[in-house]
Amino acid sequence: MLKTRTISNCRRIGISTTISHPRFSSSSTSSAIPRPQPSEAIDPAALLSNPTWSVRSLLPQPSDPATSSTPPPPTITSSQLHHLLRLSALPLPKSPAAESHMLSVLQSQLSFLQAIQSVDTEGVEPLRSIRDETAAGMAEATIGLNQAQVRAALASEEIMGRCQRPRRQRGAAVDASEAEEWDVLGTASQRAGRYFVVRSGKSGDKDGEIVG
Amino acid sequence: MARIRTVELGRYLLNGKLGRQGCLCARRASFAGMSAIGQTRHFASPAQQFEPPIHPRKQAKDQAKALKASGKKQKKKNTDNQTVPGWELTVGIEIHAQLNTPRKLFSPAATSFNDTPNSHVALFDVALPGSQPAFQPDALIPAVRAALALGCDIQHVSRFDRKHYFHWDQPAGYQITQFYEPFAKDGHIVLRARDGIAAEDGDSIKIGIKQVQMEQDTAKTMALPGEVQWLDFNRVGVPLIEVITLPQMHHPATAAALVRKVQMLLNSVDACVSGMEAGGLRADVNVSVRRTDDTSGELGTRTEIKNLSSFKAVEDAIIAERDRQIALLEAGGVVAGETRGWSLGGTETRRLRGKEGEVDYRYMPDPDLGPVVIDEQLVSHLATSMGMLPDAEMDQLISEYGLSTKDALSLVQLDDGARIQYFYNVLDELELRLGADKSSDQSHVLLAANWCLHELGKLTEVSSDLEMTPSGECKVGSADLAAILHHIHRRQITAKVAKDLLWSVFRGEIEHRGVSEAIEAQGMWFQELAEEEYAAIADSVVQGEMKVVGEFLRFKTGKTKAYPQGKLMFLVGRMLQAGPEQKMDPASAERVLRVRIEEVYIPALEAMQAAEE
């Protein structure tokens, strides 16, 4: 059951479900291995003890670039790296050696992603998160008049004026104690009365703030 | 020739002043030499020292003339500045409005306004590690109503995305918004001439709305000296909707009218908390220009203007930015796609952030939140229970009730919509009293509207002193005003008496529903004079005014072209002064006078003139 669902999910994001033997080529599309006949006894321990595939097969093979079916990923420049680090509010590399190490790591990560990006996903809806997308699941997630919170909100409105426009009664007490009662200001590194204090000057090791 | 003293010479040359003798030479000089000097020199007469100062009004006029002559540019009025020949302006607007909900968007903490700082903060609002968002369905009700008021299609399924940027007012490092799949798309808003669009846009214009999406608000920050910010996280996570219009506006006044109308619509469906002035609604404007003979079909580079805090600021900022871009392009430059700001009373937008600082938001679907699935039934329930929207109400007031556009607009806008409710109440009571007598030509409606607008306005300096409640009652009870209007309409009291009654009711001197008794008690019923009595008064007034009657004769004989209405009213005024005023109706007096002039006075004058010859 789990196997079929994993396979169906893999199909959805386009990863090939054919298992490739490590002795064969690292390409993801390979001929099928001989399947055990139903009459033969399957030894689970033997079957599961040897890995048949490793993620390493997706990393660039420096010894044999010709066999790699995916084109080499574009090289990242130093300025691109700095731009990405600034966007993520991460510190810039401290030395050229650190920077070249960071670049090589990023490069190998990109070639790993290339294998995924090379799959044809035409017409396939991207997966955002794994949720219950059955009809029953969607019905449960639907927000409508059958939900108590919505019904209560609509019932507490009053209809105003000749034009019969509904209006929410403001000033009605909202019981949010469960969510609000905790020591908010205790998390502040610096306080001023009931306010959090932030220093906005461009000083120290802080990068300049990017204003959205 | 004797030497002229240096002191005197200096005084004359430098100050134009002469000594006592009025000439510039020593006493012992010969007369011949003196007269020669006197004839050839031009000197300031002593009289000039005593010239009176220039009158300030004359001074101002002279200054204005000098300014006009110098050719300095006067600031153009906005209504004259809607188009620049040869250039086409394109404007798109993004409006952010705070939703009217009891709780925040992704946490059950309460929304608030000016409460104790940091008292309504949930764990997720400050992005404590391990906290998760939980979508609050309460937010859907005003959001869907707003989208329906803007004519949008509500999507059955919509999703949330993360917009990443770092700022101290956003603890999570990203804002949760709906970039890829908003909950409402493809709406439109129709602006009419009465909404204040530019005259160049004609009677009405339809602006498309690309999408309406839900998103989070940020924290409130107070900047203090020393580069320090104080943060209040009560506002983090409060639901906002963002309305994105299509770039279909071509005149600044239309853009300002659109923002005004969106605020009015959101207010009428109870979707937004407060207006632009109070900070509950923000507009960001995108402006670009291109030449009218541009065949490429592409719009010019656009700049975004932020920090607009009023409708007038929207119009002024668009005009300033358009002029700046045109000047730049005409000088051969290129418009940079940047973000600019505007300050009230400014003349040009100023750069806030350039292209180098352009942020890459790295939008990605938020994996912590499930899709928003909106039930069709809920949408149709909200659509049918919205009540009459402002446009429909205005159309009804103008076509069914016969009010003028200006009066209808004023009634609807005064007192936050309370004045129109008051008008409806008064009208209901009036029609009840009139019963079958109510006029078929809606004159009683116009009477009620006139009194609710103008006469009520005259009672107090500020309209809030009337203490108008949202249900339409104020210090002058609607039943009492209806009673007064009823008597006016039936011509049982004069207008002057009615205004006095209104004053008394306002001051509380007449008890509730006691208007008729008060009139009875003070004997203020209008007992009109008979025709003969009017005629007698007219006769007495005309006695000494034969010259005025002469004017009427001149009109009759064709010597003047226009009927001397002014003279007629002068005579009516004299009649009202002469006779018992509370028994006289000016309209009747005028009518009687007109007839008597025709039939009695002019023939009498003609006879008198014939006798003299």
Side-chain angles (χ1 to χ4, degrees), chain B residues 381-534:
Chain B
H381 171 85
L382 290 174
T384 49
S385 64
M386 272 200 305
M388 201 194 297
L389 287 187
D391 266 334
E393 188 182 15
M394 282 289 289
D395 289 338
Q396 190 186 53
L397 284 172
I398 293 171
S399 56
E400 245 184 76
Y401 290 129
L403 299 179
S404 72
T405 309
K406 193 157 171 276
D407 281 348
L409 260 176
S410 308
L411 268 178
V412 163
Q413 284 167 1
L414 275 173
D415 298 329
D416 276 333
R419 189 71 70 102
I420 188 73
Q421 302 305 324
Y422 182 73
F423 165 71
Y424 288 135
N425 291 342
V426 167
L427 193 61
D428 279 346
E429 284 269 345
L430 182 61
E431 291 195 338
L432 202 68
R433 279 169 177 266
L434 285 175
D437 274 353
K438 71 178 179 200
S439 60
S440 53
D441 65 345
Q442 306 284 59
S443 64
H444 66 290
V445 180
L446 296 174
L447 178 71
N450 194 31
W451 276 68
C452 284
L453 259 182
H454 305 299
E455 298 301 331
L456 218 59
K458 286 183 199 166
L459 290 174
T460 57
E461 222 179 274
V462 193
S463 65
S464 53
D465 287 342
L466 281 170
E467 291 168 19
M468 191 76 70
T469 64
S471 58
E473 281 302 331
C474 75
K475 271 180 158 174
V476 178
S478 58
D480 296 324
L481 182 57
I484 298 174
L485 294 175
H486 169 239
H487 291 310
I488 293 178
H489 194 256
R490 283 209 214 259
R491 309 190 70 221
Q492 289 167 346
I493 53 175
T494 60
K496 191 167 176 294
V497 166
K499 286 174 192 173
D500 289 337
L501 278 172
L502 183 65
W503 262 111
S504 308
V505 172
F506 175 66
R507 284 199 293 255
E509 289 161 7
I510 299 182
E511 61 178 41
H512 189 55
R513 289 191 183 276
V515 168
S516 308
E517 284 86 43
I519 301 177
E520 187 65 45
Q522 296 183 34
M524 294 198 283
W525 294 117
F526 182 53
Q527 291 136 348
E528 198 171 0
L529 294 177
E531 294 271 325
E532 307 84 50
E533 291 177 297
Y534 272 122

Side-chain angles (χ1 to χ4, degrees), chain B residues 60-222:
Chain B
K61 272 194 182 164
D62 289 339
Q63 270 176 4
K65 252 192 240 172
L67 194 68
K68 215 173 175 182
S70 75
K72 260 205 188 133
K73 254 199 294 194
Q74 302 281 340
K75 194 161 187 288
K76 262 173 138 175
K77 273 198 326 195
N78 277 358
T79 41
D80 302 327
N81 205 2
Q82 295 295 312
T83 46
V84 175
W87 292 91
E88 186 194 39
L89 167 74
T90 307
V91 176
I93 300 191
E94 294 164 18
I95 298 175
H96 303 253
Q98 204 167 354
L99 276 184
N100 177 17
T101 58
R103 294 179 197 269
K104 296 185 179 183
L105 190 55
F106 296 114
S107 70
T111 56
S112 61
F113 182 72
N114 277 349
D115 268 5
T116 321
N118 291 307
S119 57
H120 297 289
V121 183
L123 292 167
F124 178 71
D125 297 335
V126 280
L128 278 196
S131 59
Q132 290 280 310
F135 179 66
Q136 305 293 313
D138 279 346
L140 265 187
I141 296 170
V144 169
R145 279 194 179 132
L148 288 171
L150 295 169
C152 298
D153 295 327
I154 310 288
Q155 308 295 304
H156 183 56
V157 176
S158 56
R159 288 171 224 272
F160 289 108
D161 306 304
R162 291 184 184 178
K163 175 179 175 181
H164 300 83
Y165 65 92
F166 288 98
H167 201 261
W168 51 75
D169 64 7
Q170 194 155 267
Y174 58 85
Q175 179 197 32
I176 302 180
T177 173
Q178 290 186 307
F179 184 73
Y180 293 113
E181 288 173 67
F183 79 98
K185 290 202 263 203
D186 302 332
H188 65 272
I189 180 168
V190 175
L191 299 169
R192 314 247 177 102
R194 67 177 181 229
D195 297 318
I197 55 177
E200 290 87 340
D201 276 327
D203 268 338
S204 75
I205 179 169
K206 182 168 157 179
I207 311 287
I209 290 182
K210 182 165 163 235
Q211 63 190 53
V212 179
Q213 60 199 48
M214 289 187 278
E215 52 186 40
Q216 288 176 307
D217 205 349
T218 55
K220 232 193 280 193
T221 57
M222 281 195 296

